[in-house]
Amino acid sequence: MADKASSSFASGEVEEVYGAESGWVEARNSCGHLQSLSSDLHHIPSPVSPCTRCQHSAENWLCLSCKDVLCSRFINKHMLDHHQKTGHCLVLSFSDLSVWCFVCEAYLNVQKIQPLQPVYEVVHLLKFGERPPFLPINSSE
């Protein structure tokens, strides 16, 4: 593998590697796809729910449109497949409670996007047994 990488760089070709630019990720403070949120995100599956397709128990995401629980791109890519087939674009990670929009290709800032706060609060309560701390909303922003 080292030989392949050095020969690619030597010839001026660079392969795109996902995650190669690891570091700080700036979450978006807005998203134009919030209308796709389910109207009932107070009743959701447990954060320890397995993927409904492969039953894998790690790296699962909650679809915020239909509430299906599916595994990440690092396991069997079932949530990515779900998005591609249904167009459901907003998902919440049961691992770290981050929210991702497939259309925006970005993480979303739950602290700044009020419509995401109720589902975040429910998942936080289910996972940690306590309400999450929310920053006060500054009306001047």
Side-chain angles (χ1 to χ4, degrees):
M1 173 116 182
D3 292 336
K4 181 182 178 192
S6 61
S7 66
S8 291
F9 291 122
S11 67
E13 296 175 22
V14 178
E15 289 185 36
E16 187 174 326
V17 178
Y18 289 103
E21 302 104 22
S22 295
W24 180 258
V25 175
E26 189 78 25
R28 291 177 56 125
N29 291 330
S30 65
C31 173
H33 307 100
L34 299 176
Q35 73 277 6
S36 68
L37 288 171
S38 169
S39 61
D40 179 22
L41 288 172
H42 293 287
H43 301 95
I44 58 170
S46 166
V48 296
S49 298
C51 174
T52 58
R53 297 219 181 110
C54 68
Q55 302 305 308
H56 202 283
S57 61
E59 289 286 329
N60 289 320
W61 291 74
L62 172 68
C63 175
L64 297 180
S65 294
C66 69
K67 303 191 283 187
D68 203 356
V69 175
L70 300 160
C71 62
S72 79
R73 64 187 176 104
F74 299 113
I75 306 298
N76 291 314
K77 301 180 184 177
H78 288 133
M79 185 56 79
L80 178 59
D81 292 343
H82 178 72
H83 160 66
Q84 291 169 340
K85 289 176 182 163
T86 66
H88 296 172
C89 60
L90 297 173
V91 295
L92 183 142
S93 167
F94 280 149
S95 296
D96 63 7
L97 307 190
S98 59
V99 176
W100 175 260
C101 177
F102 282 106
V103 177
C104 294
E105 295 186 352
Y107 287 101
L108 304 180
N109 186 344
V110 174
Q111 294 287 341
K112 299 280 185 174
I113 303 174
Q114 195 284 325
L116 296 174
Q117 291 179 0
V119 68
Y120 179 83
E121 183 173 17
V122 169
V123 176
H124 196 283
L125 273 165
L126 290 171
K127 185 167 182 165
F128 301 112
E130 62 185 24
R131 295 189 184 287
F134 284 115
L135 299 173
I137 295 176
N138 185 349
S139 60
S140 66
E141 289 185 13

